[in-house]
Amino acid sequence: MPTIQERLKALKIILPTPATPVANYVPTVQTGNNLIISGQLPLVDGKLFATGLLGKDVDVDAGAKAAHFCMINILAQAQAALVDLEKIKRLVRLGGFVASVPEFTQQAVVMNGASDLAVEVLGDAGRHARSAFGVACLPMNACVEVEAWFELK
């Protein structure tokens, strides 16, 4: 069975330096055998991959790609906190926030961008519970934000 690092390499994903908080919170909290990751935006090289509202400014495919980048940033935060991603036992839950117009109803499809990557990287340990919410706006006009809860070995 390949390691998480081997899977990331096979997917040609290099985890970035994690973003620093922009307000009064911490990026991760470890309590007992749980690691909670604060909401991550779809930052790529320090810039938002996409901005605006789904159903108006951003299409579903771009929204899913944004969620994919959020998941990469979640893994970067986890690596910074744990040093070794092999300490992850499983991904318990993802929470997704999708900035969208009121008529937009495909938040779950957008969140598949994060969920699919989680399973690709973590295997069966990446199968998780999830919520996907439509919201009016997100920090920095991001189109998606994703938070995570991991169980550790």
Side-chain angles (χ1 to χ4, degrees):
M1 176 180 277
T3 66
I4 294 169
Q5 288 299 336
E6 290 168 343
R7 288 179 179 154
L8 287 168
K9 186 175 181 179
L11 294 167
K12 298 183 171 127
I13 294 173
I14 298 171
L15 296 180
T17 301
T20 56
V22 296
N24 189 17
Y25 65 92
V26 293
T28 64
V29 171
Q30 187 173 345
T31 180
N33 66 338
N34 296 291
L35 179 67
I36 312 301
I37 310 287
S38 294
Q40 299 297 301
L41 300 178
L43 295 170
V44 178
D45 297 326
K47 297 184 177 115
L48 286 171
F49 169 74
T51 58
L53 301 175
L54 273 288
K56 178 183 173 195
D57 310 304
V58 181
D59 67 28
V60 173
D61 290 339
K65 188 69 173 173
H68 170 96
F69 287 124
C70 291
M71 190 68 214
I72 289 173
N73 292 324
I74 285 168
L75 292 167
Q77 291 289 359
Q79 183 168 300
L82 301 171
V83 180
D84 182 5
L85 290 174
E86 295 305 317
K87 293 179 182 176
I88 293 172
K89 181 176 182 180
R90 72 166 300 129
L91 176 58
V92 176
R93 180 184 181 280
L94 288 179
F97 305 90
V98 180
S100 51
V101 297
E103 304 80 30
F104 186 80
T105 60
Q106 294 183 294
Q107 288 82 2
V109 176
V110 169
M111 275 300 295
N112 283 341
S115 294
D116 292 348
L117 181 59
V119 174
E120 285 182 277
V121 171
L122 301 172
D124 282 340
R127 298 192 187 286
H128 53 277
R130 185 180 85 182
S131 297
F133 303 98
V135 297
C137 64
L138 289 167
M140 299 168 46
N141 198 30
C143 62
V144 180
E145 181 174 358
V146 182
E147 62 186 14
W149 170 14
F150 292 98
E151 180 183 9
L152 306 176
K153 294 176 183 171

